[in-house]
Structure formats: structure tokens, C-alpha cells
Amino acid sequence: MEGFDVKIGRLRERLPQWRLAQALGISPTDLCAIENGRKSLTKDMAERIMLVIARHAEMHPRRKPQESWAED
């Protein structure tokens, strides 16, 4: 897992950066640095991030896209 993967996963689950940082106990600045490759991502931190994103996904399932209103 790389920082860019963190950002993609967070955005996919519509998890704000500040909320993920808060759940991890780090500053939003540090999370931003991880996401942009300016700060290294340890194996422990990668596991913690995946856990927080997975928990968020369980608690806040993404809505299905609206069906088309087009006529058949």
C-alpha cells in the first residue's frame, strides 16, 4: 500500500481527511503528507488506515447510483 492508495480508498468511501486523521490519532497535515508521498507509510500505519476505512464503510455504506429515468 502506498500513500496514493490511502487517498483513493478514503475518497472512494467519502471519508473526509480530517476524520480519518482524527481516527488515526495523527494530524491532517501528516495524513496529507502520507497521501502525497512526502511521508513514509509504515506497515503498522497502513494496517490501521485499512481498518479505519473498513469500519467507516461498514457504518456508512455507499448509496447505489440512481437508476436512469430513461424510458425503455
Side-chain angles (χ1 to χ4, degrees):
M1 172 183 266
E2 295 183 19
F4 186 71
D5 299 319
V6 172
K7 187 171 188 173
I8 294 299
R10 179 179 62 75
L11 292 173
R12 182 178 296 130
E13 295 304 327
R14 298 181 181 147
L15 178 58
Q17 191 176 53
W18 69 268
R19 191 174 304 269
L20 177 56
Q22 183 181 46
L24 295 169
I26 63 175
S27 72
T29 303
D30 284 341
L31 180 56
C32 181
I34 290 170
E35 289 183 348
N36 291 298
R38 293 188 309 271
K39 190 170 187 175
S40 62
L41 180 62
T42 65
K43 182 179 177 181
D44 179 57
M45 182 59 74
E47 290 173 357
R48 289 174 53 204
I49 289 170
M50 289 189 309
L51 181 64
V52 170
I53 290 174
R55 284 185 181 162
H56 177 82
E58 288 175 4
M59 294 175 60
H60 306 283
R62 289 184 284 159
R63 293 184 179 152
K64 294 180 183 176
Q66 285 186 331
E67 294 181 16
S68 173
W69 291 96
E71 295 180 12
D72 294 347

